[in-house]
Amino acid sequence: DAGVIQSPRHEVTEMGQEVTLRCKPISGHDYLFWYRQTMMRGLELLIYFNNNVPIDDSGMPEDRFSAKMPNASFSTLKIQPSEPRDSAVYFCASSFGTATEAFFGQGTRLTVV
Amino acid sequence: QKEVEQNSGPLSVPEGAIASLNCTYSDRGSQSFFWYRQYSGKSPELIMFIYSNGDKEDGRFTAQLNKASQYVSLLIRDSQPSDSATYLCAGKNTGFQKLVFGTGTRLLVSP
């Protein structure tokens, strides 16, 4: 398996624009996580899904953020409108059942100018 | 206060020495703990996990858990320059898949 695949790897956008980050989890994994990493706050969980259903979105910072998982092999994280403080590395991770390890994608580095 | 606390470092050790990385947590419901390594510009990768009090060894790595003191540590023996990275501690409650991470400790191993 190719692992967790995220796209794009880098995104530069202007403030106010819509940004969509994409993630393909490892085939067969039933949990999918979206994390955001900054120097100040470290790695923060934004939302996670189990079998395509959102379980905990308490980490989503504002209504400007939304996430969907229309099927087992695809998820999106959307920011609309984007702001400079959204600049961070966004990671997607997936895991199987109660297995302990979450596998991370390579991340999307988002810069909002 | 963050649920999982780590000293940001950097922790500098010479090659061949033992590196000791520490983590404290505030949520007594946390039952499992994980150490991830993250190289600069890369994604986190799991090194070890531990859920029982005591020590767990895997090669050059030993994880230690003390639930009474709410303390987790990672020892790296015979440290190598390739171990230079940021080490992230994370905790998880039983029954939940939510991993809560500390901000990480940067380790520098000098040749």
Side-chain angles (χ1 to χ4, degrees), chain A residues 9 31 33 35 37 40-43 45 48 56 58 91 95 97-102 104-106, chain B residues 2 32 34 36 38 41-46 49 51 88 92 95-103:
Chain A
R9 291 293 309 278
Y31 284 87
F33 309 84
Y35 284 90
Q37 188 173 40
M40 289 300 296
R41 300 176 67 87
L43 200 59
L45 178 66
Y48 78 94
D56 184 348
S58 60
F91 285 103
S95 67
T98 55
T100 55
E101 181 170 8
F104 283 77
Q106 291 304 302
Chain B
K2 283 184 67 73
S32 306
F34 304 79
Y36 279 79
Q38 186 176 25
K42 302 296 185 182
S43 57
E45 54 180 350
L46 183 71
F49 67 90
Y51 52 85
L88 302 166
K92 182 162 78 87
F96 297 92
Q97 284 296 96
K98 179 177 176 177
L99 271 176
V100 178
F101 283 85
T103 52

Side-chain angles (χ1 to χ4, degrees), chain B residues 2-107:
Chain B
K2 283 184 67 73
E3 290 183 39
V4 178
E5 300 269 4
Q6 294 181 259
N7 188 316
S8 61
L11 173 66
S12 296
V13 300
E15 183 175 357
I18 296 175
S20 177
L21 303 158
N22 305 313
C23 169
T24 58
Y25 62 96
S26 59
D27 183 1
R28 287 196 173 273
S30 297
Q31 297 293 319
S32 306
F33 299 89
F34 304 79
W35 284 99
Y36 279 79
R37 177 177 61 199
Q38 186 176 25
Y39 292 112
S40 180
K42 302 296 185 182
S43 57
E45 54 180 350
L46 183 71
I47 300 175
M48 299 187 65
F49 67 90
I50 186 168
Y51 52 85
S52 297
N53 272 328
D55 296 0
K56 180 180 178 181
E57 187 174 317
D58 184 0
R60 295 187 298 114
F61 299 96
T62 298
Q64 300 174 316
L65 173 59
N66 183 325
K67 291 187 179 180
S69 300
Q70 296 178 252
Y71 180 88
V72 191
S73 65
L74 179 70
L75 301 178
I76 306 175
R77 290 180 297 281
D78 188 24
S79 296
Q80 300 297 309
S82 58
D83 294 326
S84 297
T86 296
Y87 289 78
L88 302 166
C89 173
K92 182 162 78 87
N93 279 355
T94 301
F96 297 92
Q97 284 296 96
K98 179 177 176 177
L99 271 176
V100 178
F101 283 85
T103 52
T105 298
R106 187 175 169 215
L107 173 66

Side-chain angles (χ1 to χ4, degrees), chain A residues 45-75:
Chain A
L45 178 66
L46 300 177
I47 185 172
Y48 78 94
F49 296 83
N50 177 219
N51 291 324
N52 314 337
V53 176
I55 301 301
D56 184 348
D57 65 354
S58 60
M60 296 285 263
E62 299 171 34
D63 291 344
R64 298 185 296 107
F65 286 69
S66 62
K68 294 182 179 180
M69 192 165 186
N71 57 61
S73 59
F74 184 66
S75 177

